[in-house]
């Protein structure tokens, strides 16, 4: 066991540990966004690894449709709609005038909607709050050859993905004047935009009641208004909406890309720019590419991006030969709202895309591969390739290891691999579990171990294929499990992994596996109730991770070469674990001014998860020789300081939660206004590293005990809780 210090004397150690974490922060702060890496270019932009355990995209599962649905989908024509409605967790396909909805979570139930005319487009959008009751969460928009109908939906889903979907007939519909809609999308505020087979963008307006001079439901032409009767008309073939719903990107049949500003409130429609020279502009940015010839150049699809991916571009277009074109919706310097369109970069596909997609096929290396379908989301590209009546999906995604190691200085390097599909691909979407982080974090090294990986659903002609993007920690787990009990003798692949990722980053991942709270052995609320060995090394991957720290952890650290990567990896893992809570205020005020209530600013579930990880890490360090009672080196001293930090922070979390549970509103009445203001601004950093923070912690503990004594004429229970779970915050010597 590491020797512990009395709380007041521990402040210098905690302060030193915090300074170590701040120095380590530079490793994560230097991680570039995709646009920064793209600017630097690279001679070797793609990596294809042969080892199965480190493939970036793997098939997790394949689900076959129920027999009744299979019988129907075989009758579907190629031009009939099919897709994924991720807002309501349903896959759909159309056969003539019938719409089939398949619950892909439950995977047995499917519903049928029947119209009187052939169905040509389907979309699920947010319901307008001023039209329906609050129970109606979404609307199902069904377009047929002569009308568009609005069906109200009540959708509920719990964290276990048990859901219910109720349909309400509304009689809200309008005719389309002979235009067949091809695509339907909705904004976060409920605005509905549709792409027609006439090449125009239409908006569907609907409201609760009709007036004397206004219809309750009608379509309105939004595009090509200025050229009706004269001038050049753009024939639109695709559209994409920004996540905020304030910008619409448009693609024409001539491969022009346009930008429409929908207004900050989402109610406008202002065309701000269109690039009609995309092939020429792409050739200027990539002059030696044979894939940008005018006779073969065609944009297949466009996709909106997010600021988390890059701030310099907002839209990515993918050509039929796999080139990616990056567009900014600003002309010149960035503005508050879009004011034009500028192509800023071009990314060519892997040289031998066809051979990557179909390695067993005899395909000439010079033959370009035509992309049948494409999906793009948060820097992940899924390209559907076709050969000899077979299809495969090639995935391309940023090589997190190289971006972290070289900080984008060597350009954007992507990992790629291919997965064969059992049947023709109809649609692809990224799906988010209720536990998924939002927004998506591209630096997967800093994502908590227990958070879910990214999942992609592929709808085929026979069912669903679930693809999972493997993070570096998933790859490390696979390699450890594959090596089994012979890890020390079979560590060649693991050594290669450490070298690719960098020893400090790899060591940080090892600590993540050791402190992972999602292990099967994790059951008790107080994780220290289990033995240290069972707690910290409960699984094969955590045991293997501990061995790897012994084998490779002596390499020089990336944050400070005077320390080992074992030390810097520990600091990096602690930093990533506590960063979401370290500088956040401890408390927030709820309720009313007359009856105030207080809660933790950070959700209780997240606090508890972080506390459990810290305690597991603490138990591991207790067992290691590297954590000596008496430090002999600067590194040993620094590890002791880090140990003191995680121990005290774990107790501080219990202390903060117990204050809230003990009626913090009543406790705060014992303080003056100035002290209350200080307490409400208090965070874990101030609480643990500053003398004033420790003094107010003592005052809070005293007030808590006094409050219990007043309420219950006894405070023994409160003393017991403080001593057991947050002994460092107990106000009197024990």
């Amino acid at each position: 066991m590491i020797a512990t210090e009395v709380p007041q004397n521990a402040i210098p150690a905690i302060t030193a540990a915090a300074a170590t974490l701040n120095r380590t922060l530079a490793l994560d702060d230097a991680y570039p966004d995709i646009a920064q890496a793209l600017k630097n270019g690279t001679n070797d932009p793609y990596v294809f690894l042969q080892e199965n355990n480190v493939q970036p995209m793997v098939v997790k599962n394949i689900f076959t449709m129920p027999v009744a649905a299979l019988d129907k989908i075989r009758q579907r024509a190629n031009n009939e709609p099919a897709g994924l409605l991720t807002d309501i967790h349903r896959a759909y396909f159309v056969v003539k005038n019938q719409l089939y909805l398949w619950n892909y979570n439950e995977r047995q139930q499917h519903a049928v909607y029947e119209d009187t005319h052939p169905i040509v487009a389907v979309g699920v959008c947010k319901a307008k709050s001023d039209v329906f009751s609050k129970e109606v969460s979404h609307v199902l928009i069904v377009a047929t050859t002569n009308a568009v109908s609005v069906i109200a939906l009540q959708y509920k889903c719990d964290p276990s993905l048990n859901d219910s979907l109720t349909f309400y007939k509304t009689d809200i519909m309008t005719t389309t004047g002979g235009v067949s809609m091809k695509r339907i999308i909705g904004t976060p505020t409920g605005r509905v935009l549709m792409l027609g087979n006439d090449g125009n963008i239409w908006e569907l307006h609907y409201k609760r009641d009709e007036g004397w001079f206004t219809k309750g439901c009608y379509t309105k032409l939004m595009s090509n208004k200025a050229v009706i009767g004269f001038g050049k008309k753009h024939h639109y073939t695709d559209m994409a909406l920004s996540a905020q719903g304030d910008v619409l990107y448009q693609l024409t049949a001539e491969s022009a890309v346009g930008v429409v500003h929908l207004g900050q409130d989402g109610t406008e429609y202002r065309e701000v720019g269109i690039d009609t020279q995309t092939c020429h502009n792409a050739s200027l940015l990539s002059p030696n590419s044979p894939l940008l010839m005018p006779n073969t150049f065609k944009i297949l699809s466009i996709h909106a991006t997010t600021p988390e991916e890059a701030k310099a571009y907002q839209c990515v277009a993918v050509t039929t030969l796999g080139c990616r074109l990056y567009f900014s919706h600003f002309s010149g310097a960035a503005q508050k709202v879009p004011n034009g369109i500028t192509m800023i970069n071009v990314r060519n596909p892997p040289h031998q895309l066809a051979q990557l997609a179909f390695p067993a096929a005899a395909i000439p290396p010079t033959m370009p591969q035509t992309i049948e379908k494409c999906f793009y989301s948060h820097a992940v590209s899924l390209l559907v390739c076709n050969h000899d009546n077979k299809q495969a999906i090639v995935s391309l995604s940023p090589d997190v290891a190289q971006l972290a190691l070289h900080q984008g200085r060597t350009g954007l390097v992507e990992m790629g691999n291919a997965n064969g599909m059992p049947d023709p691909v109809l649609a692809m979407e990224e799906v988010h579990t209720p536990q998924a982080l939002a927004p998506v974090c591209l630096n997967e090294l800093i994502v908590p171990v227990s958070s879910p990986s990214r999942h992609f659903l592929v709808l085929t002609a026979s069912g669903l294929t679930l693809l999972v993007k493997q993070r570096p920690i998933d790859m490390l787990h696979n390699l450890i499990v594959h090596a089994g009990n012979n890890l020390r003798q079979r560590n060649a692949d693991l050594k290669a992994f450490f070298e690719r990722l960098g020893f400090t980053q790899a060591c940080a991942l090892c600590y993540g596996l050791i402190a992972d709270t999602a292990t099967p052995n994790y059951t008790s609320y107080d994780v220290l109730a289990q033995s240290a060995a069972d707690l910290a090394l409960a699984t094969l991957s955590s045991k293997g991770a501990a061995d790897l720290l012994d084998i490779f952890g002596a390499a020089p650290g990336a944050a400070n070469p005077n320390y080992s990567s074992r030390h810097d990896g520990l600091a990096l893992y602690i930093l990533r674990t506590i960063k979401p809570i370290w500088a956040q205020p401890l408390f927030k005020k709820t309720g009313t001014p007359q009856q105030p209530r207080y809660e933790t600013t950070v959700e209780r579930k997240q606090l508890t998860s972080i506390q459990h990880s810290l305690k597991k890490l603490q138990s591991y360090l207790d067992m290691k020789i590297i954590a000596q009672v008496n430090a002999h080196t600067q590194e040993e001293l620094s590890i002791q300081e880090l140990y003191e930090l995680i121990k005290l922070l774990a107790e501080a979390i219990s202390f903060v939660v117990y204050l809230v549970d003990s009626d913090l509103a009543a406790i705060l009445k014992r303080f003056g206004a100035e002290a209350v203001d200080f307490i409400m601004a208090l965070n874990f950093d101030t609480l643990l590293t500053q003398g004033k923070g420790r003094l107010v912690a003592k005052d809070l503990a005293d007030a808590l005990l006094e409050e219990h004594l007043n309420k219950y004429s006894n405070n023994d229970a409160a003393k017991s809780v403080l001593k057991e779970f947050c002994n460092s915050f107990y106000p009197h010597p024990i």
Side-chain angles (χ1 to χ4, degrees), residues 591-662:
T592 64
Q594 294 76 25
Q595 291 184 313
R597 294 177 60 249
Y598 294 88
E599 299 174 1
T600 57
T601 302
V602 179
E603 285 189 10
R604 182 80 61 94
K605 183 178 180 182
Q606 185 178 11
L607 284 173
T608 304
S609 175
I610 290 173
Q611 182 188 50
H612 289 159
S613 293
L614 295 176
K615 286 185 175 182
K616 290 192 76 173
L617 184 60
Q618 179 187 342
S619 66
Y620 164 77
L621 292 175
D622 282 337
M623 294 184 294
K624 297 306 295 180
I625 299 174
I626 60 171
Q628 295 286 354
V629 172
N630 298 312
H632 298 287
T633 67
Q634 281 297 113
E635 176 163 326
E636 289 177 357
L637 176 61
S638 181
I639 288 177
Q640 282 195 21
E641 292 165 349
L642 292 170
Y643 177 93
E644 290 295 334
L645 173 62
I646 62 176
K647 174 183 177 296
L648 199 56
L649 180 55
E651 291 190 17
I653 292 173
S654 292
F655 181 61
V656 167
V657 170
Y658 191 49
L659 283 170
V660 171
D661 291 346
S662 300

Side-chain angles (χ1 to χ4, degrees), residues 49 51-55 470 472-487 490-498 513 540-541 544 548:
L49 301 177
E51 167 62 50
N52 288 333
N53 292 308
V54 293
Q55 296 303 308
Q470 296 206 111
I473 198 161
D474 302 319
M475 298 175 184
L476 177 59
H477 168 82
N478 295 342
L479 290 170
I480 292 173
V481 172
H482 180 70
N485 294 324
N486 298 319
L487 183 144
R490 301 172 56 186
N491 62 24
D493 290 335
L494 284 158
K495 183 179 180 181
F497 178 86
F498 270 66
L513 290 176
L540 179 61
S541 62
L548 290 175

Side-chain angles (χ1 to χ4, degrees), residues 272-284:
V272 297
I274 186 166
D275 184 348
T276 59
Q277 301 293 320
T278 51
C279 180
H280 173 73
N281 293 333
S283 298
L284 293 177

Side-chain angles (χ1 to χ4, degrees), residues 233-394:
K233 176 183 176 181
H234 295 296
H235 188 97
Y236 296 104
T237 58
D238 194 14
M239 58 182 178
L241 187 68
S242 67
Q244 296 76 20
D246 58 345
V247 184
L248 182 72
Y249 305 98
Q250 305 166 317
L251 174 66
T252 75
E254 296 81 21
S255 293
V257 177
V259 177
V260 175
H261 186 225
L262 300 178
Q264 293 180 320
D265 60 354
T267 61
E268 301 176 26
Y269 191 96
R270 182 173 58 87
E271 296 175 343
V272 297
I274 186 166
D275 184 348
T276 59
Q277 301 293 320
T278 51
C279 180
H280 173 73
N281 293 333
S283 298
L284 293 177
L285 291 170
S286 183
N288 299 319
S289 174
L291 305 179
L292 299 173
M293 299 295 107
N295 59 326
T296 58
F297 180 88
K298 185 173 181 60
I299 295 179
L300 176 66
S301 59
I302 54 174
H303 311 268
T305 63
T306 64
E308 289 74 34
E309 176 180 335
K311 294 179 175 61
Y313 62 80
Q314 296 79 34
C315 177
V316 173
V318 182
T319 73
T320 54
L321 295 181
C323 295
R324 281 166 287 174
L325 318 178
Y326 298 82
F327 292 91
S328 167
H329 59 214
F330 299 114
S331 179
Q335 307 289 324
K336 289 185 177 180
V337 297
N339 65 345
I341 183 166
T342 306
M343 189 186 301
I344 65 167
N345 218 309
V346 173
R347 179 85 167 168
N348 287 291
H351 290 305
Q352 298 181 356
L353 184 59
Q355 289 72 29
L356 175 64
F358 305 100
I363 302 175
T366 57
M367 178 181 292
Q369 175 65 55
T370 301
I371 308 302
E372 300 292 327
K373 283 184 174 64
C374 171
F375 177 75
Y376 186 95
S377 174
H378 296 96
V380 171
S381 302
L382 301 180
L383 310 176
V384 178
C385 302
N386 189 53
H387 176 73
D388 196 22
N389 294 322
K390 295 180 180 179
Q391 286 193 346
I393 292 180
V394 174

Side-chain angles (χ1 to χ4, degrees), residues 120-123 125 141-144 147-150 174-176 179-187 191-206 217-223 236-239 248 250 269:
V120 293
V122 176
C125 308
I141 311 295
V142 178
T144 68
V148 178
S149 301
V150 178
T174 185
T175 57
T176 60
V179 177
S180 291
M181 302 303 169
K182 297 166 55 180
R183 188 153 180 234
I184 301 170
I185 58 176
T187 72
R191 190 175 183 182
V192 180
L193 298 169
M194 305 181 294
L195 175 64
N197 65 350
D198 62 344
N200 281 312
I201 308 293
W202 296 80
E203 181 171 359
L204 177 68
H205 290 265
Y206 67 91
C217 182
Y218 61 94
T219 57
K220 181 180 179 181
L221 178 67
M222 305 304 294
S223 61
Y236 296 104
T237 58
D238 194 14
M239 58 182 178
L248 182 72
Q250 305 166 317
Y269 191 96

Side-chain angles (χ1 to χ4, degrees), residues 45-284:
Y46 296 101
V47 173
F48 306 103
L49 301 177
Q50 299 302 314
E51 167 62 50
N52 288 333
N53 292 308
V54 293
Q55 296 303 308
M57 193 74 68
V58 296
V59 175
K60 183 176 182 179
N61 222 324
I62 297 177
F63 306 108
T64 304
M65 287 184 183
V67 174
L70 272 176
D71 290 341
K72 291 297 182 181
I73 200 170
R74 289 174 182 142
Q75 303 171 26
R76 173 186 166 272
N78 289 336
N79 63 342
E80 289 182 311
L84 294 156
L85 305 171
T86 56
D87 280 0
I88 59 171
H89 295 170
R90 298 296 190 273
Y92 76 91
F93 63 90
V94 169
V95 178
K96 297 180 180 178
N97 63 327
Q98 292 182 321
L99 167 64
Y100 294 84
L101 293 168
W102 180 34
N103 183 335
Y104 56 68
N105 288 329
E106 193 264 344
R107 292 192 294 279
Q108 293 300 319
Q109 175 187 352
H110 73 281
V112 182
Y113 168 84
E114 187 168 352
D115 206 289
T116 55
H117 294 83
I119 297 171
V120 293
V122 176
V124 166
C125 308
K126 292 288 185 182
K128 292 183 178 180
S129 58
D130 60 344
V131 175
F132 300 105
S133 64
K134 63 180 181 180
E135 288 78 17
V136 174
S137 57
H138 299 79
V139 289
L140 174 66
I141 311 295
V142 178
T144 68
T145 50
N146 78 325
V148 178
S149 301
V150 178
I151 301 161
L153 302 178
Q154 182 181 6
Y155 180 71
K156 297 179 181 178
C157 184
D158 65 23
S160 300
L161 298 180
N162 299 309
D163 66 6
S164 63
L165 181 63
T166 306
F167 299 82
Y168 297 101
K169 188 177 180 181
T170 66
D171 292 326
I172 299 176
M173 59 87 65
T174 185
T175 57
T176 60
V179 177
S180 291
M181 302 303 169
K182 297 166 55 180
R183 188 153 180 234
I184 301 170
I185 58 176
T187 72
T189 58
R191 190 175 183 182
V192 180
L193 298 169
M194 305 181 294
L195 175 64
N197 65 350
D198 62 344
N200 281 312
I201 308 293
W202 296 80
E203 181 171 359
L204 177 68
H205 290 265
Y206 67 91
K207 53 186 179 179
R208 183 185 299 272
D209 301 306
E210 291 193 0
W212 284 101
F213 303 104
T214 58
K215 289 186 175 181
C217 182
Y218 61 94
T219 57
K220 181 180 179 181
L221 178 67
M222 305 304 294
S223 61
N224 291 309
K225 292 180 182 179
V227 297
I228 294 178
F230 61 92
K232 179 175 174 56
K233 176 183 176 181
H234 295 296
H235 188 97
Y236 296 104
T237 58
D238 194 14
M239 58 182 178
L241 187 68
S242 67
Q244 296 76 20
D246 58 345
V247 184
L248 182 72
Y249 305 98
Q250 305 166 317
L251 174 66
T252 75
E254 296 81 21
S255 293
V257 177
V259 177
V260 175
H261 186 225
L262 300 178
Q264 293 180 320
D265 60 354
T267 61
E268 301 176 26
Y269 191 96
R270 182 173 58 87
E271 296 175 343
V272 297
I274 186 166
D275 184 348
T276 59
Q277 301 293 320
T278 51
C279 180
H280 173 73
N281 293 333
S283 298
L284 293 177

